[in-house]
């Protein structure tokens, strides 16, 4: 086998191993998120050139909390800046995440019956599976208005399908984030051979579920049963 053929074979294997190692380390690190979600140390990192803050205020959201999230494995100590905005009228959180020149945002609603719905702009949000009743939909490159519209469409469907409505948060945002991360990491680690599956999840879930609404996801599961 020539050197080029060895390279063609080895590169995908090396990438798979890298994704698996990073995934396993990330799950283990985020299993203790109280050590990762910190008070903001550098306020300048919260600069908002995308104008998300202005949009949030225009839609009736108020700034709830700001954090540094030290959960990026292999990032050399770089932390993600996290801002949470809340609309009492809509019972809705707008989360804004940014690190260096990259950013994304998502809407999160807690619902009756321990349901929750997240509508995100980043396919990376799909990298790991979620516990039952926790739903995620991703629309890459969607504007804030378009993302909110998709989120509200899904909420209407949830009320019709499951009979659940949005709830006011019963604890501070930091506690909600910690609870969500712990629940997801516990669920991931409850799956058999999860260490071997994280690479597969990362590569397939991001490809198969992005730009698919939760309505499509749920109805697809219904057809497969």
């Amino acid at each position: 086998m020539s050197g080029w053929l060895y390279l063609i074979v080895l590169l995908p294997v090396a990438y798979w191993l890298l994704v698996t190692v990073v995934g396993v380390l990330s799950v283990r690190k985020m299993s203790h998120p109280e050590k990762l979600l910190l008070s903001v140390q550098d306020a300048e990192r919260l600069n908002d050139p995308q104008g998300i803050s202005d949009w949030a205020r225009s839609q009736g959201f108020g700034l709830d909390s700001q954090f540094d999230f030290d959960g990026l494995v292999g990032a050399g100590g770089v932390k993600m800046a996290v801002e949470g905005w809340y609309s009492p009228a809509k019972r809705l959180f707008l989360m804004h995440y940014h690190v260096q020149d990259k950013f994304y945002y998502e809407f999160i609603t807690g619902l009756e019956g321990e349901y929750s719905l997240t509508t995100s702009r980043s396919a990376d949000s799909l990298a790991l599976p979620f516990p039952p009743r926790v739903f995620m939909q991703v629309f890459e490159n969607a504007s804030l208005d378009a993302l909110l519209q998709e989120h509200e469409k899904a909420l209407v469907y949830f009320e019709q399908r499951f009979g659940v409505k949005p709830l006011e948060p019963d604890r501070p945002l930091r506690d909600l984030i910690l609870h969500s991360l712990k629940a997801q990491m516990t669920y991931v680690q409850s799956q058999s051979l999860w260490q071997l599956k994280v690479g597969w999840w990362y590569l397939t879930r991001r490809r198969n579920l992005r730009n698919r609404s939760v309505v499509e996801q749920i109805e697809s599961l219904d057809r497969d049963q």
Side-chain angles (χ1 to χ4, degrees):
M1 185 181 292
S2 71
W4 281 109
L5 288 177
Y6 275 117
L7 192 61
I8 291 171
V9 171
L10 290 176
L11 277 179
V13 174
Y15 180 67
W16 179 275
L17 288 173
L18 176 63
V19 169
T20 298
V21 170
V22 171
V24 170
L25 292 175
S26 297
V27 169
R28 288 177 173 165
K29 188 173 185 179
M30 288 190 292
S31 296
H32 305 282
E34 62 279 352
K35 301 177 182 179
L36 309 176
L37 203 60
L38 312 169
S39 299
V40 175
Q41 300 298 316
D42 180 6
E44 290 185 4
R45 293 181 56 249
L46 295 168
N47 290 342
D48 179 23
Q50 299 86 23
I52 294 170
S53 302
D54 291 340
W55 183 93
R57 293 188 184 93
S58 74
Q59 298 294 316
F61 288 83
L63 182 62
D64 183 282
S65 305
Q66 297 174 319
F67 309 104
D68 276 337
F69 183 64
D70 187 17
L72 304 177
V73 173
V78 175
K79 299 179 179 65
M80 177 183 289
V82 180
E83 281 190 327
W85 297 77
Y86 184 67
S87 168
K90 296 179 180 292
R91 297 183 175 180
L92 175 65
F93 281 103
L94 164 62
M95 303 301 299
H96 177 204
Y97 312 92
H98 48 123
V99 55
Q100 297 178 335
D101 60 342
K102 297 181 180 179
F103 76 97
Y104 72 98
Y105 41 77
E106 58 190 24
F107 293 101
I108 304 175
T109 299
L111 300 110
E112 298 166 336
E114 298 185 1
Y115 284 84
S116 71
L117 171 67
T118 299
T119 304
S120 179
R121 191 177 189 261
S122 171
D124 287 340
S125 301
L126 296 166
L128 295 170
F130 295 90
R133 301 190 180 187
V134 177
F135 292 87
M136 167 73 71
Q137 57 183 359
V138 168
F139 301 94
E140 287 186 306
N141 303 317
S143 67
L144 281 159
D145 291 299
L147 206 66
L148 178 58
Q149 185 178 40
E150 292 293 343
H151 191 82
E152 292 177 335
K153 284 165 55 178
L155 289 176
V156 171
Y157 176 81
F158 271 50
E159 183 172 359
Q160 296 172 344
R161 174 71 185 259
F162 304 114
V164 294
K165 296 181 180 180
L167 290 173
E168 291 185 8
D170 60 356
R171 64 191 86 175
L173 178 57
R174 184 176 187 274
D175 292 345
L176 292 172
I177 295 172
L178 295 178
H179 175 78
S180 176
L181 283 171
K182 288 179 180 178
Q184 185 183 14
M185 297 307 112
T186 298
Y187 178 74
V188 167
Q189 293 175 88
S190 73
Q191 306 302 299
S192 61
L193 301 175
W194 70 269
Q195 297 93 334
L196 301 179
K197 293 178 179 177
V198 288
W200 174 255
W201 286 330
Y202 178 81
L203 295 173
T204 59
R205 288 176 55 85
R206 292 165 72 254
R207 182 185 69 241
N208 297 336
L209 295 178
R210 62 185 176 188
N211 299 321
R212 292 186 64 198
S213 70
V214 293
V215 177
E216 292 178 82
Q217 296 176 39
I218 293 170
E219 293 183 348
S220 176
L221 288 174
D222 288 345
R223 290 192 295 270
D224 293 340
Q225 292 178 351

